[in-house]
């Protein structure tokens, strides 16, 4: 199974005994959407609802930190996602949150995982079948194996300021990156990690919501000043849209680490330096 699958491919695979389809839609409550209700109203037949808003470390004050391996495995098992499953993720979110689910699954040891290109919007635009209500779930064993080599902590990101070993690429909008637009979180500084590059996650998608591929995708990174042959650490607001950059790099055959705390941690920490503007002015 390719990492990025088409609606046509998925339609042909519906009902396969080893296929598990997952709705990984997540949006902030401020947008006024109830994504669980949206799922029950219409989803791809057989799909289960992941609920990324709850699949996190709820003891951590930061918004979207990785849960424990045990919590992750328990949730996967309850959704019927287990060993031997081919997992296809999709979303109906402006933030393309299937990529966050993909990154989490990879971090916790699942490797036969794909994203549906164009998500639910493309599926529905093509007039394909949807189901309503909840699916009947069958508990399956999920062998969890946490691999945190692709996860970066605050201390590691601070150390990287001095070493410069990894390029830091920020997936937020240009206005959030430069500090022109204030951060929406209380007591969080505007700006970005000094020395980081800005590639808004929207730059990885075509106008119809499908992923850029090949040269077009590589060009998006190149235009942001990213050297694909050097190590990369990714950041954003809370670790969600940075996951789209991680998936985009995966499509290009590259691995990248992700700073899970992202700006919600760095921007609120009084001890971290913050840069403002396209030409950096560093505070702290």
């Amino acid at each position: 199974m390719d990492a990025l699958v088409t609606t046509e491919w998925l339609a042909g695979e519906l009902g396969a005994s080893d296929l598990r389809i997952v709705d990984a839609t997540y949006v902030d409550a401020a947008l006024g959407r109830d994504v669980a209700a949206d799922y029950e109203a219409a989803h791809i037949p057989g799909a289960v609802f992941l609920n990324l808003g709850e699949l996190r470390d709820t003891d951590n004050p930061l918004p979207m930190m990785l849960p424990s391996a045990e919590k992750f495995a328990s949730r996967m098992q309850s959704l019927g996602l287990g060993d031997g499953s081919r997992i296809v993720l999709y979303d109906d979110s402006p933030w393309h949150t299937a990529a966050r689910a993909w990154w989490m699954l990879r971090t916790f040891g699942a490797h036969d995982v794909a994203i549906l290109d164009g998500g639910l919007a493309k599926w529905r635009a093509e007039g394909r079948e949807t189901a309503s209500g909840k699916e009947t779930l069958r508990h399956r064993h999920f062998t969890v194996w946490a691999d945190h080599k692709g996860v970066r902590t605050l201390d590691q990101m601070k150390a990287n300021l001095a070493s410069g070993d990894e390029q830091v690429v920020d997936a937020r909008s240009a206005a959030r990156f430069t500090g022109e637009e204030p951060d929406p979180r209380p007591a969080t500084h505007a700006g970005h990690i000094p020395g980081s590059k800005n590639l808004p996650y929207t730059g990885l998608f075509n106008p119809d919501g499908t992923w850029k591929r090949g040269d077009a995708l590589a060009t998006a990174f190149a235009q942001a000043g990213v050297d694909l042959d050097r190590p990369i650490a990714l950041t954003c607001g809370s670790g969600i849209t940075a996951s789209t950059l991680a998936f985009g790099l995966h499509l290009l055959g590259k691995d990248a680490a992700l700073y899970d705390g992202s700006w919600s941690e760095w921007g609120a920490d009084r001890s971290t330096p913050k840069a403002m503007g396209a030409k950096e002015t560093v505070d702290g």
Side-chain angles (χ1 to χ4, degrees):
M1 185 172 67
D2 293 337
L4 188 64
V5 300
T6 65
T7 50
E8 181 180 14
W9 180 91
L10 182 59
E13 291 289 312
L14 288 182
S17 61
D18 63 337
L19 182 71
R20 298 293 179 271
I21 307 171
V22 179
D23 184 326
T25 302
Y26 170 78
V27 298
D28 190 273
L31 295 184
R33 283 179 57 190
D34 182 341
V35 292
D38 291 346
Y39 160 80
E40 290 196 33
H43 57 264
I44 294 176
V48 297
F49 180 60
L50 185 62
N51 199 346
L52 279 173
E54 293 182 358
L55 191 54
R56 58 186 179 85
D57 181 358
T58 52
D59 293 327
N60 195 308
L62 296 170
M64 292 296 290
M65 298 295 282
L66 281 170
S68 67
E70 294 74 21
K71 177 176 181 177
F72 189 83
S74 176
R75 177 63 61 82
M76 295 306 103
Q77 290 173 169
S78 69
L79 291 175
L81 307 178
D83 299 344
S85 298
R86 291 183 299 156
I87 300 172
V88 175
L89 305 159
Y90 74 85
D91 65 70
D92 186 25
S93 169
W95 304 323
H96 300 274
T97 51
R100 174 69 181 186
W102 171 87
W103 179 75
M104 293 173 73
L105 280 158
R106 300 264 300 182
T107 298
F108 288 117
H111 294 287
D112 205 1
V113 185
I115 290 177
L116 177 64
D117 199 12
L120 184 62
K122 188 171 191 293
W123 182 272
R124 298 187 73 172
E126 293 169 349
R128 299 188 187 276
E129 178 186 3
T130 60
S132 59
K134 296 181 179 179
E135 299 288 338
T136 301
L137 306 180
R138 183 164 63 90
H139 188 99
R140 293 174 61 89
H141 179 69
F142 183 92
T143 301
V144 70
W145 178 69
D147 181 4
H148 284 85
K149 72 174 184 295
V151 183
R152 292 294 174 268
T153 65
L154 177 63
D155 287 343
Q156 288 172 317
M157 297 301 288
K158 285 181 176 179
N160 191 65
L161 282 179
S163 70
D165 289 340
E166 293 180 325
Q167 303 167 92
V168 179
V169 186
D170 192 320
R172 294 176 300 155
S173 68
R176 290 273 300 281
F177 179 82
T178 61
E180 177 185 350
E181 180 180 312
D183 194 272
R185 300 171 183 87
T188 303
H189 200 290
H192 59 268
I193 298 173
S196 57
K197 303 176 188 301
N198 184 214
L199 174 51
Y201 73 96
T202 52
L204 273 57
F205 297 91
N206 297 310
D208 65 354
T210 58
W211 288 80
K212 291 181 179 178
R213 301 295 301 267
D215 289 345
L217 184 57
T219 296
F221 284 94
Q223 289 178 339
V226 180
D227 182 348
L228 294 178
D229 293 324
R230 289 190 55 221
I232 298 169
L234 304 167
T235 184
C236 60
S238 61
I240 293 178
T241 57
S243 301
T244 64
L245 301 192
F247 185 74
L249 288 165
H250 179 74
L251 292 177
L252 293 171
K254 306 293 182 179
D255 292 324
L258 191 149
Y259 173 28
D260 205 26
S262 283
W263 194 253
S264 59
E265 181 174 44
W266 189 280
D269 189 321
R270 293 178 180 271
S271 72
T272 57
K274 290 90 175 173
M276 302 280 286
K279 295 183 178 179
E280 295 185 354
T281 300
V282 178
D283 178 20

